[in-house]
Amino acid sequence: MTAAGPAAGPTAGRTAGGTAGTAGTATGPAAGVAGGASDASERAASRLVAGLPPTPAVWCSGLRKRYGRRSAVDDVSLEVGRGEVVGLLGPNGAGKTTVIKMLLGLVHPDAGEVMLLGRPATDPASRARVGYLPELFRYQPWLSATEVLALHVRLAGAAVTAREQLDCLELVGLAGRAGDRVGGFSKGMQQRLGLAVALVARPELVVLDEPTSALDPVGRVDVRDIVLELTSRDVAVLLNSHLIGEVERVCDRVVILDRGRVAASGTLAELLGQRQLRLQLTDLSPAAEARLAATGAVERAGDWFTVALAAEDLGTAAPDLVRDLVTMGARVHAVEPARISLEERLLGILRAEPEARPGDDRGDDARDGPEDGPDDGPGGAR
Amino acid sequence: MTTARTVLTMAALTLREASRRRVLLAVAVLTLALLGLSWWGFSRLAAESDSGGLTSGEARLAASVVLNIVMFGFSLIAALGTAFLAGPTLSGETESGISLAVLARPIRRSAVLLGKWLGLVVFGTGFVVLAGLAQCLVVWATVDYWPPQPAAALALLAAQTIVLLTLAVLLSTVVSPMASGVVAVGLFGATWVAGVVGGIGAALGNDGVARVGVVSRMLLPTDGLWRGAMHGFQDSTLVAGLGSGFDGHPFLSQAPPTITYLVWVAVWVAMVWGLAAASFVRKDL
């Protein structure tokens, strides 16, 4: 899948939802009329549904949101598969938090559709197995950490024992403060509590909006370990973070938003696949230059040549190139493999965006969307 | 089933908030102080009556008026308490971000609103009924006066509290917590003043001025309910014999509320709650 709303995403979401609905209607009325036929059709429908791939944890298409004249989110489509970790990246005001809030029904989209765990997001029950850590994390200060978790378990309608709730607090390092009032917690502790709240009701999808903004380095490592542990249990994670290294370490795929639009998306291999080779060459013949150009885009600085390698390279391009160059009489002084970092890729995409859309008259307004409020909140350290 | 659980959970949470934030404690201390002062005041009234300074009729009239004044004090405490609780519990939580994690749960916003409203109703009406009943007992013990219709009067006071807190809930879905409390209490006061002005207009036979009270009681029924409650607390036979000089008295009521008016109050509460729910459901957080 890609973030631009590919065929696989909508098809999977719609087909599963539609089929389930069809199965339901077929069973109801038919049951009283012709039991045998009904059973047969029910079995057929069950087989059909069983043969389908699982519905994505998140599927959304064509999300749009305007605040007055400002467009905060413009035609965003994305998908998070079951057990997949997807990172949401982009500059301040890119619309990341607004997209997340629209997925969770906290902000009403002007247009677009959202499916959560196979159900339309307009149905609150679609959030039964969803855990959410908001960017602006605040919990009832007059409650204790244990009471906050108990409240969320009750609201989620989940059967989670007190022991399991305590285990959840222990997981985020708050076991020793379980009975303390949240009002006395530091920002970091409140964010840890928020993580526990997101995890407590046995979620199948966890949405983490800047989960480490108030955490120390140890806390960040803890969060990374928790995310990796979630994926091992096939829990899907949508992670919005400014810490690119964090995203690079844990995410299977990345969606980059800029000015409310999807600027790029794909797996890390797809996004970072543009590996490079730096070579110091002399005595370069025209044939050798042509060989270089045939490999990929070439940049030259004196004797140094930087060649972009294809993403699908299996590791043979570099030795083959060096062998051919030597055969063609070039003197090879140095060969340095290089790989573009996610940060460089992100910056490259974001810088290229305005040039790619010269007719875009929204200017910087979109960067100042309402999500900037929460951005500046307690969890707003960016 | 899920909605009922959400409503009850949110109602219990609202009451727990009132308790943990020491609103209950503050209200209890204020109430005890008011009860103590009124005990002393009514004792002095009884002493004055016993020493022959007041006739029994005058003493009963004074007891009726003072009881109404104290009850007005209680209704003011309930109004302030619920109006200033409604703001933080709704718009305050939206502003601070507390509601983000809560409303991302598989629950309907209208159920959350209903739960919070219900919690406030229990808090406000519970206070009014308990404090009002205690006050009636104080008056009975000191000057041997028992209101003619205490249950109806306390129910009307409770209804007044519900009206005001419903308005505060509506306001808290559209404006800041502080503004919602201020506006609700301001409107409560303005309606009371309009009621007094209307009463004076009626006493003077000026229909235009009297209409001020009628219109204000329709727009915000707190004053109409308050006047109905006063009627239940006061000795109506004595008030009826006072003559036109006491018409328009701010702490004496001329008539109980009509059934039509009570139906209008129920419609008003349902309508304002519906507006609050519509506003809350559509709100972008």
Side-chain angles (χ1 to χ4, degrees), chain A residues 17 55-57 82 114-128:
Chain A
T55 52
R82 302 278 179 152
V114 179
M115 301 272 285
L116 291 178
L117 300 167
R119 303 180 79 149
T122 45
D123 177 6
S126 64
R127 300 191 294 269

Side-chain angles (χ1 to χ4, degrees), chain B residues 34-285:
Chain B
L34 203 53
L35 284 172
L37 275 172
S38 70
W39 182 288
W40 178 80
F42 279 107
S43 302
R44 294 303 310 144
L45 195 65
E48 197 67 31
S49 178
D50 290 343
S51 65
L54 289 173
T55 64
S56 64
E58 285 170 337
R60 288 177 76 79
L61 179 63
S64 284
V65 172
V66 176
L67 177 61
N68 279 347
I69 291 172
V70 177
M71 286 299 182
F72 185 73
F74 284 133
S75 77
L76 203 60
I77 293 174
L80 289 169
T82 51
F84 282 102
L85 256 183
T89 200
L90 263 174
S91 54
E93 287 194 358
T94 306
E95 275 187 4
S96 68
I98 288 176
S99 57
L100 288 176
V102 170
L103 295 176
R105 290 296 173 193
I107 54 178
R108 293 191 183 280
R109 289 193 191 183
S110 53
V112 171
L113 188 78
L114 186 60
K116 290 203 172 257
W117 179 82
L118 198 61
L120 291 170
V121 164
V122 170
F123 173 77
T125 57
F127 163 74
V128 162
V129 169
L130 285 178
L133 196 60
Q135 183 59 46
C136 288
L137 289 171
V138 164
V139 176
W140 176 68
T142 49
V143 295
D144 194 25
Y145 172 76
W146 186 249
Q149 296 170 303
L154 289 174
L156 288 170
L157 266 191
Q160 180 203 14
T161 309
I162 292 171
V163 163
L164 195 69
L165 76 87
T166 309
L167 176 69
V169 164
L170 169 64
L171 290 169
S172 68
T173 62
V174 287
V175 292
S176 72
M178 203 180 286
S180 67
V182 169
V183 173
V185 173
L187 286 174
F188 170 80
T191 313
W192 183 77
V193 171
V196 173
V197 169
I200 292 169
L204 297 175
N206 186 322
D207 289 343
V209 178
R211 208 168 291 127
V212 171
V214 175
V215 171
S216 72
R217 276 170 220 151
M218 293 302 286
L219 292 176
L220 180 61
T222 49
D223 187 59
L225 291 167
W226 160 242
R227 287 182 175 276
M230 279 198 301
H231 195 267
F233 287 127
Q234 72 199 14
D235 188 333
S236 303
T237 52
L238 275 175
V239 174
L242 287 174
S244 60
F246 280 81
D247 287 356
H249 192 291
F251 292 106
L252 287 174
S253 176
Q254 303 303 314
T258 62
I259 295 294
T260 315
Y261 187 72
L262 293 179
V263 170
W264 164 244
V265 171
V267 170
W268 189 95
V269 169
M271 211 164 56
V272 172
W273 191 91
L275 282 174
S279 165
F280 190 53
V281 166
R282 288 178 190 175
K283 200 177 181 75
D284 284 336
L285 300 172

